[in-house]
Amino acid sequence: MERFDDIYLEDCPCCGGVGSMEEEGGWCVYVQCLDCGAHTSEVAYGKEIEKREAAQKAAMNWNMRKVIAPGPGE
Ligand SMILES: [Zn+2]
């Protein structure tokens, strides 16, 4: 898995926890809180070369606090 350590992530807007860049199935990336599970929407990318751009978009959503809070029981 490619590392995105150079992409800055704010603390979780829900709980102040640590945000982590996640990949799913080789087609999208998103940021998820390791503590409460809040996450951004997935940002899809077509080619491997577009992944970094998608990751930056996901990070921007996260940093703008555009996250989906974990629902009860989720
Ligand atoms: Zn959180």
Side-chain angles (χ1 to χ4, degrees):
M1 171 175 163
E2 188 178 340
R3 302 293 305 175
F4 298 109
D5 291 341
D6 56 322
I7 297 179
Y8 176 71
L9 296 174
E10 300 271 1
D11 293 337
C12 174
C14 295
C15 74
V18 179
S20 171
M21 188 68 69
E22 304 287 338
E23 290 185 52
E24 191 160 300
W27 66 273
C28 75
V29 291
Y30 59 97
V31 182
Q32 182 165 43
C33 173
L34 295 176
D35 288 335
C36 75
H39 59 92
T40 67
S41 56
E42 294 99 349
V43 181
Y45 60 91
K47 301 175 204 132
E48 200 65 10
I49 200 166
E50 295 166 355
K51 192 199 286 184
R52 170 156 293 272
E53 202 178 317
Q56 279 164 344
K57 257 183 223 167
M60 199 171 72
N61 285 339
W62 176 262
N63 292 343
M64 286 168 64
R65 301 173 165 255
K66 284 164 71 175
V67 303
I68 298 155
E74 198 177 306

